[in-house]
Amino acid sequence: MNSIKLSRSEPTVCMSDLGILESNIGQQLPEFFKDFYLKQNGGISDKDWWDSGDEYEPVRVKKFKSVAVSGADDAADTRLLGGCYVEMISKNVIPQTFMPFAIDDGVNFFCLDLTDGNVCFYATDSFDPENSFAANHAKAYRWLASSFDAFVEGLKDESEIDL
């Protein structure tokens, strides 16, 4: 297992905090996702590169977002999972089935597809005002992994990829 370590994590969360997040997004989260956040509540990964091995350049995971602790005054902040999801959905930046869990250096998102558990890279900077929201959504993402655990397992150190 390719375990990663996160630094600069937020305070530890418990199952009830994750339950509040699930209630706010209206979906159950995958078990591996919940386990990951129970152990490490966001932060900067020691293995922070995703290389699909295809025609796309590798992308860097700058930071995993955190889960809000119960009763937190800043629970709606976009640096937190629930706050980011609600804000991006309300502005129609992302499809309702995508929950951003991490960002790259350009503040694009790594998202968990709440429908099937896949992980995608979502380029927020590709919005074209001439296109519909649906057309913009369709061109903004590319699939990376079939699950959150496969995504985490596939993260690499910069020394392991060709840049």
Side-chain angles (χ1 to χ4, degrees), residues 113-127:
D113 185 332
L114 298 170
T115 304
D116 59 18
N118 290 338
V119 171
C120 72
F121 179 76
Y122 193 89
T124 58
D125 56 5
S126 65
F127 186 84

Side-chain angles (χ1 to χ4, degrees), residues 12-30:
T12 304
V13 293
C14 61
M15 282 303 288
S16 64
D17 298 322
L18 292 169
I20 291 169
L21 174 61
E22 288 176 325
S23 177
N24 289 342
I25 65 173
Q27 296 282 336
Q28 294 291 311
L29 295 167

